[in-house]
Amino acid sequence: MALIEIDKLLKRFDGGGGRAGSAAIVAVDGISFAVQPGEVVGFLGPNGAGKSTTMKMLTGFLTPTSGTARVAGHDVQQKTLAAQRELGYLPEGAPAYPDMTPDGFLKFVARARGIGRATRDQAINKAVERTQLQGVLHQPIETLSKGFKRRVGLAQAILHEPKVLIMDEPTDGLDPNQKHEVRNLIRTLARGDVGPASSSVGRAIVLSTHILEEVEAVCTRAIVIARGRIVADCTPAELLAKSKHHHAVTVTVRAPAGSRVRDDLLALAGVRNVEVASDQTGRDGLSSSYTVTPKEASGDATLAARVLSLCQSRNWAVDGLRTEQGKLDDVFRDLTAARQD
């Protein structure tokens, strides 16, 4: 059974402060998707696309205009508390009481979550260990760095061993080592092998992020939303395959003055375009990088070999040659660019 089910979810806001005749703003336009146990779904979109509105409806903080959202089988509007018991939520900015310590805050959250005295300390200790808060546990939250504040927010979200995790920018403010640790934790949580309530079935995790590398690093699936509508729902590899640079070849060469490198590369069979990626003058002359894009969207297995053969035939010194997997930022821009309906 899917742990998250969203069906034709729509949210419309009054566009003119309630004035008659004012145009309504459709923030989320009838979207549908489901998240299975063990999935980590990256929820992507530009500012104003409807990401935060969708997450607020899913967590029960905002009432939809129409459609339904279910968490672990519970309708979020009809059985709000039952749904919220099954989910952990890390909102944007990880808000917490600034005068509390992480220890005090987690104890407060544990009581609010109804975690009994017998298991409260064990639950807090596990969350602290997972998020590595031991060194700041008794320090006021307002004195913590942005990264530590983020980890306090993550600790409260996983404290009660939820079946569903909703996270808004979970690695925001973390250094590269901390990001690596949190991403490993997310994978572990998705597998369902954390804590006494763990299950091999796994948890459903949705994370909203603007860090595209996070999608490749931790997500099993990516959903892209633009203007309130889903424009892509696929694996990260399938998303990369939509890039215009998927299976392109980037070559860096040093060629004699007057060489027509770009023109010669463009004349190769099966080449759609050649971009000058960079030019750099060194003691051995001008070194230039070119990205050669194949005509076939599925790629060309022999393109790299043909590029290398051309370089050798022209006596161009090759400093580097690689086949590109694609660029998520290209795909993101293409999918989320403003469109006329």
Side-chain angles (χ1 to χ4, degrees):
M1 180 186 76
L3 290 175
I4 297 174
E5 300 168 274
I6 288 180
D7 185 30
K8 299 177 183 176
L9 201 62
L10 183 143
K11 183 62 181 179
R12 184 183 295 113
F13 293 100
D14 188 330
R19 295 192 300 272
S22 60
I25 298 171
V26 178
V28 177
D29 195 2
I31 66 173
S32 300
F33 65 88
V35 184
Q36 303 294 329
E39 283 193 294
V40 180
V41 176
F43 198 46
L44 311 173
N47 292 337
K51 300 190 305 297
S52 293
T53 301
T54 300
M55 297 176 85
K56 288 176 181 177
M57 289 189 285
L58 179 58
T59 53
F61 291 103
L62 193 61
T63 302
T65 303
S66 64
T68 58
R70 288 180 289 275
V71 172
H74 304 293
D75 187 296
V76 174
Q77 292 304 308
Q78 296 179 5
K79 298 181 179 180
T80 304
L81 290 179
Q84 290 176 340
R85 288 189 187 101
E86 302 289 1
L87 66 84
Y89 181 35
L90 175 64
E92 184 178 7
Y97 295 106
D99 55 339
M100 281 187 172
T101 64
D103 181 64
F105 180 62
L106 292 176
K107 286 177 179 175
F108 164 74
V109 173
R111 290 193 298 269
R113 283 285 185 184
I115 299 175
R117 287 180 178 272
T119 57
R120 189 178 301 163
D121 287 346
Q122 181 182 358
I124 291 173
N125 290 340
K126 182 170 287 293
V128 167
E129 180 183 351
R130 292 288 179 181
T131 53
Q132 299 187 344
L133 287 170
Q134 297 92 329
V136 299
L137 203 53
H138 302 290
Q139 188 174 325
I141 291 173
E142 64 184 349
T143 68
L144 300 181
S145 67
K146 184 177 181 182
F148 272 117
K149 288 177 181 176
R150 204 76 187 133
R151 285 196 265 175
V152 172
L154 182 57
Q156 67 78 27
I158 65 175
L159 186 63
H160 58 298
E161 302 287 359
K163 293 180 180 178
V164 173
L165 267 174
I166 309 295
M167 297 184 286
D168 202 345
E169 304 289 356
T171 63
D172 185 36
L174 304 186
D175 65 35
N177 289 334
Q178 294 167 343
K179 285 182 180 180
H180 177 74
E181 292 159 2
V182 169
R183 289 168 181 171
N184 282 340
L185 175 58
I186 290 171
R187 295 187 195 98
T188 302
L189 290 166
R191 290 196 300 267
D193 49 1
V194 175
S198 65
S199 165
S200 60
V201 172
R203 294 170 172 83
I205 299 179
V206 175
L207 60 92
S208 172
T209 181
H210 70 282
I211 305 172
L212 295 180
E213 70 177 58
E214 198 136 272
V215 177
E216 295 182 83
V218 75
C219 295
T220 60
R221 183 172 153 210
I223 294 177
V224 184
I225 185 172
R227 300 180 68 190
R229 298 178 181 177
I230 292 175
V231 294
D233 184 351
C234 55
T235 67
E238 289 168 338
L239 198 61
L240 272 174
K242 298 178 186 290
S243 170
K244 64 181 180 181
H245 292 109
H246 184 57
H247 287 162
V249 172
T250 296
V251 60
T252 302
V253 300
R254 282 174 287 117
S259 299
R260 300 170 59 86
V261 179
R262 182 181 182 276
D263 291 342
D264 286 354
L265 288 169
L266 195 57
L268 284 173
V271 171
R272 178 170 58 86
N273 189 32
V274 177
E275 301 173 20
V276 181
S278 67
D279 285 316
Q280 184 175 355
T281 302
R283 62 183 181 182
D284 296 328
L286 182 64
S287 176
S288 300
S289 294
Y290 301 86
T291 299
V292 185
T293 308
K295 289 181 179 178
E296 297 295 331
S298 58
D300 184 338
T302 64
L303 181 58
R306 297 205 309 278
V307 168
L308 182 59
S309 178
L310 174 67
C311 294
Q312 292 170 339
S313 70
R314 297 291 194 273
N315 291 319
W316 301 335
V318 177
D319 292 335
L321 181 74
R322 69 176 183 272
T323 299
E324 305 287 354
Q325 295 303 306
K327 298 178 181 179
L328 280 180
D329 53 351
D330 287 344
V331 179
F332 183 83
R333 283 194 297 268
D334 290 342
L335 289 173
T336 61
R339 309 174 184 186
Q340 298 297 323
D341 291 337

